[in-house]
Amino acid sequence: MIRDNIESKPIGLLSSHEDQVEHVATEKELAAVAKWRRERDERHRRYGYWADWGDPKIPKWERLYQGRLMVRLEDVRLKTERYRWGETMQRSFAESRVRKLEPAIPRILATIAAMAAAKTSNAAFDERERIAAAEEAKRRADAERRRKHEQSAAALLDELMELQSRADRLRALLVALRRTESGGRVGRLLEWTEGRLEGLEQSLGGSALEQRLEKAGLFDAEDEAGTR
């Protein structure tokens, strides 16, 4: 077994090589075919039809071990930007009827070295892919955070503008009310309206506005840095 000195993992296996040779039918196989044909002929004589199913299959080829050696290396693919799943590398070296394995040893060793280099290159490729994926995920998360920030800020702004508009309308109303008699029911309406205006002005004041922003999680130092 050939071993990788870098990872101390088996990267190749020396084994016998299978040969595909023409199959010679055995007596048992021939007897099975002859029996099936006799039974088929008998069914035809008795029932008048040919039944062609269930016939025994004699294979044309078979695999034999004839003592030829083969080195099979692990499956290592060189990853590139063009071939992200990796370009294949030769991993099998086998003897043939006219070629021995020994002359291929330099090629085998060179291939093992190339595989080790490919593993290092693949690790760097995977790291670049990981970093790029992490950066893309961060970019999308930042974009989504900015979108939500803008959405929440716009909703709060609409709410404040509505409060400000109501306060302005109340001020205009109070001006009109103060021109009328201030006693009786009108006086009590004037006092109630002044209280409403005071509440609106307090809700628009610095302390209340700070509380609104804190509750909505808007415009703190960390949020401001994340939305730039």
Side-chain angles (χ1 to χ4, degrees):
M1 187 169 289
I2 304 171
R3 295 186 175 271
D4 186 348
N5 293 328
I6 297 177
E7 297 186 0
S8 298
K9 293 169 59 180
I11 66 169
L13 181 67
L14 180 63
S15 62
S16 297
H17 174 51
E18 291 181 334
D19 289 319
Q20 180 173 283
V21 298
E22 188 172 357
H23 176 72
V24 178
T26 65
E27 292 184 2
K28 183 177 180 180
E29 290 171 336
L30 294 174
V33 171
K35 178 182 177 183
W36 175 82
R37 287 175 177 171
R38 288 195 303 271
E39 292 174 349
R40 183 190 61 172
D41 294 342
E42 177 64 22
R43 280 193 296 271
H44 180 257
R45 284 193 297 270
R46 294 179 62 183
Y47 304 110
Y49 67 89
W50 292 103
D52 290 331
W53 60 84
D55 56 321
K57 303 294 184 183
I58 298 179
K60 184 177 181 180
W61 306 98
E62 64 178 304
R63 294 184 175 276
L64 296 177
Y65 290 97
Q66 297 181 325
R68 282 198 286 274
L69 298 177
M70 178 180 65
V71 171
R72 184 181 297 277
L73 305 176
E74 64 177 314
D75 186 10
V76 177
R77 296 171 178 266
L78 179 59
K79 298 179 181 179
T80 63
E81 294 295 334
R82 184 177 180 183
Y83 299 102
R84 306 181 76 83
W85 291 104
E87 298 183 68
T88 59
M89 303 178 68
Q90 182 179 359
R91 58 188 296 252
S92 297
F93 302 85
E95 291 181 337
S96 67
R97 293 181 178 83
V98 297
R99 184 183 65 245
K100 294 297 183 180
L101 188 61
E102 286 80 358
I105 290 177
R107 287 179 55 207
I108 296 173
L109 296 177
T111 301
I112 293 173
M115 286 181 171
K119 287 182 178 181
T120 301
S121 176
N122 289 346
F125 180 88
D126 291 340
E127 180 63 12
R128 291 194 301 272
E129 293 278 283
R130 186 193 66 78
I131 292 174
E135 290 177 348
E136 175 63 16
K138 182 178 183 302
R139 185 192 66 77
R140 292 186 178 184
D142 290 344
E144 178 64 14
R145 185 165 53 251
R146 287 193 294 270
R147 185 191 68 80
K148 289 183 177 180
H149 177 275
E150 290 295 318
Q151 187 178 45
S152 298
L156 179 59
L157 186 61
D158 289 342
E159 182 181 349
L160 294 174
M161 291 174 65
E162 176 61 25
L163 291 175
Q164 185 64 55
S165 177
R166 290 173 62 188
D168 292 340
R169 293 197 301 270
L170 280 178
R171 290 190 190 96
L173 178 61
L174 284 171
V175 171
L177 291 175
R178 287 177 183 135
R179 293 191 185 122
T180 65
E181 292 291 335
S182 59
R185 295 176 185 273
V186 174
R188 290 192 292 273
L189 173 62
L190 180 61
E191 291 178 2
W192 183 83
T193 305
E194 287 174 342
R196 295 283 292 179
L197 177 60
E198 183 180 356
L200 282 174
E201 289 176 338
Q202 288 178 356
S203 67
L204 290 168
S207 176
L209 186 56
E210 181 68 28
Q211 291 178 3
R212 285 177 180 273
L213 293 172
E214 182 179 0
K215 183 178 179 180
L218 292 171
F219 299 108
D220 57 15
E222 181 179 351
D223 179 70
E224 183 178 356
T227 55
R228 290 177 181 171

